């Protein structure tokens, strides 16, 4: 039987990060001592009070459909979060709760873009953005950056990439995969250009709380009413609350866009899981002190891994300011990223993600959301591997 697959679907590249993660997990299941640096999720448990709230919701029978865009209580809690953390005023009607931050991004792109539209995406990028743009039949326009600018786009680069067809600029700070963080002034400069040119910004702020060395995150929506009017924030609980499996994301948008997304969601997924939403309310309104310990631990691992990478001949690594990734440059070793990653997994049983997945073939991504013991073991192996390659 020959099945017809739509052009839209057939053109997609399956997620390489999920594929590598699956391969490493399979090797582990086969009894191989694999060190996995592929994970895009914190290695901490979801805080107990959040779990308890969801369990209580199930026991209370809160297991039915909810309003498609989320329960009022959660939309209010999200609006309160933006007020408290970012000084941004949103009505609950401007907040849409989605099935994960990835779903939030997909909804925004599907709702604002169509054939003929261009979406500017800085590389290295989170690998789903360009595929989501293609799924909407729009065209991704990639701006290349390197470790020389800490993987940050300059205002000149952004200005040069904008055309009359530009619909959306995707900003992700702190960044997956590089961990880079734009300063307040840098964010403002990019936002100013978008306002001037009438380009919408999709600001993916999911790593907002995971910043180091006293750095702070600034939302591009916060500079003026015009910036606010040009910005759609996508966010989620996966990273800062270790809730990746819960599938709760959120969008804060100007009212007409929120309304359109509400319609799209009502005919696709409908509401995110009812009791996960109750857990999300507990996450946003309950104690936040789990973060202190997590950040301290992440910072310790980041410092260790950063130092180790820079001590390996042929590898250099700029330090990350946020998220839980490092993005070392491996180009001096003479291997492209896919080759490097495949051989490293095969020879030394270490799983990393090739930079090519993020549009940057000279790099690999490692996640330090793993134990210090794993980091030490994995870095010993990478060092050994780099030495054999360099010969
Ligand atoms: C993890 C992540 C998300 C959202 O993840 P979900 O698990 O779908 O909530 C969104 N953007 C970036 C850049 C991410 O790394």
């Amino acid at each position: 039987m020959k099945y017809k697959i739509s052009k839209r679907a057939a053109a997609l590249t399956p997620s390489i990060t999920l594929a590598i993660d699956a391969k490493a997990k399979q090797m582990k299941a086969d009894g191989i001592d694999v060190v996995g640096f592929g994970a895009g999720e914190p290695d901490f448990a979801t805080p107990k009070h959040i779990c308890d709230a969801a369990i209580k919701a199930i026991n209370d029978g809160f297991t039915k459909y909810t309003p498609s865009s989320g329960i009022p209580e959660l939309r209010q809690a999200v609006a309160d979060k933006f007020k408290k953390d970012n000084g941004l005023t949103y009505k609950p009607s401007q907040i849409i709760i989605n099935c994960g931050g990835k779903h939030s991004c997909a909804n925004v792109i599907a709702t604002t873009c169509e054939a003929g539209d261009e979406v500017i995406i800085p590389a290295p990028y989170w690998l789903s953005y360009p595929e989501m743009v293609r799924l909407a039949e729009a065209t991704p326009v990639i701006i290349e950056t390197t470790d020389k600018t800490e993987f940050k786009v300059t205002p000149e680069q952004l200005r040069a990439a904008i055309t009359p067809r530009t619909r959306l600029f995707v900003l992700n700070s702190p960044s997956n995969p590089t961990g880079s963080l734009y300063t307040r002034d840098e964010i403002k400069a990019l936002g100013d250009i978008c306002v001037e040119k009438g380009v919408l910004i999709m600001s993916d702020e999911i790593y907002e709380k995971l910043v180091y060395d006293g750095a702070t995150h600034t939302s591009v929506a916060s500079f003026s009413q015009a910036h606010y009017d040009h910005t759609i924030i996508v966010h989620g609980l996966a990273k800062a609350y270790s809730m990746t499996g819960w599938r709760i994301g959120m969008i804060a948008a100007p009212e007409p866009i929120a309304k359109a997304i509400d319609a799209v969601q009502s005919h696709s997924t409908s509401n995110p899981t009812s009791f996960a939403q109750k857990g999300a309310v507990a996450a946003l309104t309950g104690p936040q002190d789990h973060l202190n310990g997590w950040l301290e631990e992440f910072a310790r691992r980041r410092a260790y891994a950063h130092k180790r990478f820079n001590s390996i001949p042929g590898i250099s690594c700029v330090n990350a300011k946020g998220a839980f990734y490092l993005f070392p440059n491996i180009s001096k070793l003479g291997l492209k990223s896919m080759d490097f990653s495949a051989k490293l997994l095969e020879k030394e049983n270490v799983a990393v993600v090739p930079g090519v997945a993020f549009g940057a073939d000279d790099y690999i991504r490692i996640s330090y959301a793993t134990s210090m013991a794993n980091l030490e073991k994995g870095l010993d192996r990478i060092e050994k591997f780099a030495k054999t390659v360099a010969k």
Side-chain angles (χ1 to χ4, degrees):
M1 168 93 191
K2 192 153 165 44
Y3 296 98
K4 177 178 177 278
I5 306 294
S6 73
K7 279 199 198 89
R8 271 194 319 277
L12 294 179
T13 315
S15 167
I16 301 183
T17 48
L18 293 183
I20 294 207
D21 201 44
K23 168 120 201 251
K25 280 187 177 134
Q26 183 57 50
M27 287 171 70
K28 238 179 223 166
D30 293 343
I32 300 170
D33 174 26
V34 176
V35 178
F37 288 153
E41 59 184 349
D43 56 320
F44 306 114
T46 308
K48 185 165 181 304
H49 68 279
I50 300 175
C51 299
D52 287 345
I55 292 166
K56 179 171 186 305
I58 292 182
N59 286 332
D60 289 350
F62 195 74
T63 55
K64 302 292 176 66
Y65 290 135
T66 77
S68 170
S69 293
I71 53 176
E73 189 187 1
L74 180 53
R75 294 171 88 181
Q76 183 65 55
V78 172
D80 292 346
K81 171 245 153 339
F82 282 114
K83 186 79 199 166
K84 176 162 64 77
D85 292 346
N86 314 95
L88 293 169
T89 305
Y90 290 103
K91 290 186 286 212
S93 57
Q94 294 176 268
I95 306 287
I96 311 283
I97 311 301
N98 317 105
C99 310
K102 185 177 277 187
H103 183 222
S104 308
C105 297
N107 268 344
V108 168
I109 291 169
T111 306
T112 57
C113 300
E114 62 196 6
D117 290 339
E118 294 175 355
V119 178
I120 297 177
I121 305 172
Y125 46 73
W126 189 44
L127 73 180
S128 293
Y129 300 140
E131 302 299 339
M132 288 170 179
V133 170
R134 287 190 193 102
L135 208 44
E137 301 184 354
T139 307
V141 173
I142 308 298
I143 302 180
E144 306 278 345
T145 71
T146 69
D147 47 5
K148 289 196 183 64
T149 62
E150 289 180 32
F151 305 105
K152 290 191 266 196
V153 170
T154 63
E156 295 71 33
Q157 281 181 302
L158 176 60
R159 200 175 273 285
I162 292 174
T163 76
R165 290 171 176 265
T166 306
R167 189 82 190 101
L168 205 60
F169 169 55
V170 177
L171 183 61
N172 173 217
S173 173
S175 153
N176 175 5
T178 65
S180 73
L181 173 77
Y182 287 81
T183 65
R184 188 181 164 80
D185 288 350
E186 288 166 345
I187 294 261
K188 179 166 188 304
L190 297 177
D192 287 350
I193 294 172
C194 290
V195 167
E196 178 197 323
K197 299 281 188 183
V199 170
L200 283 175
I201 304 161
M202 181 175 88
S203 182
D204 183 342
E205 305 184 5
I206 196 156
Y207 292 100
E208 168 181 29
K209 299 276 169 83
L210 303 182
V211 291
Y212 309 106
D213 302 337
T216 51
H217 157 92
T218 307
S219 175
V220 65
S222 67
F223 291 107
S224 72
Q225 183 65 39
H227 290 79
Y228 177 96
D229 291 339
H230 282 78
T231 303
I232 306 165
I233 299 176
V234 292
H235 214 305
L237 302 183
K239 308 299 162 47
Y241 298 89
S242 203
M243 290 173 68
T244 46
W246 293 62
R247 313 312 302 135
I248 296 289
M250 55 252 198
I251 293 166
E255 191 96 46
I257 291 178
K259 233 180 164 164
I261 293 171
D262 178 49
V264 167
Q265 179 153 306
S266 74
H267 290 298
S268 46
T269 58
S270 283
N271 65 274
T273 304
S274 57
F275 41 88
Q277 293 187 63
K278 287 288 191 180
V281 171
L284 288 169
T285 60
Q288 307 292 312
D289 44 355
H290 68 280
L291 260 179
N292 300 330
W294 292 6
L295 283 172
E296 203 175 295
E297 181 59 25
F298 276 148
R300 202 164 72 87
R301 299 173 188 172
R302 179 193 62 137
Y304 173 79
H306 175 247
K307 187 159 151 249
R308 283 291 305 270
F309 272 119
N310 280 313
S311 75
I312 300 174
I315 299 185
S316 61
C317 183
V318 297
N319 210 355
K321 299 224 164 50
F324 39 70
Y325 310 102
L326 287 173
F327 209 60
N329 187 326
I330 50 132
S331 62
K332 290 219 171 74
L333 291 172
L335 288 179
K336 283 306 186 184
S337 63
M338 198 68 193
D339 220 15
F340 182 100
S341 307
K343 287 189 170 127
L344 179 64
L345 186 56
E346 185 187 313
K347 296 221 162 75
E348 295 293 338
N349 302 329
V350 178
V352 301
V353 186
V356 68
F358 312 103
D361 210 5
D362 287 340
Y363 307 85
I364 54 169
R365 187 192 78 174
I366 77 122
S367 157
Y368 49 86
T370 183
S371 70
M372 201 64 180
N374 254 344
L375 269 181
E376 287 170 16
K377 184 154 81 174
L379 276 152
D380 287 347
R381 293 181 186 181
I382 291 175
E383 183 165 19
K384 186 166 158 230
F385 175 74
K387 277 181 185 150
T388 60
V389 170
K391 265 185 215 148

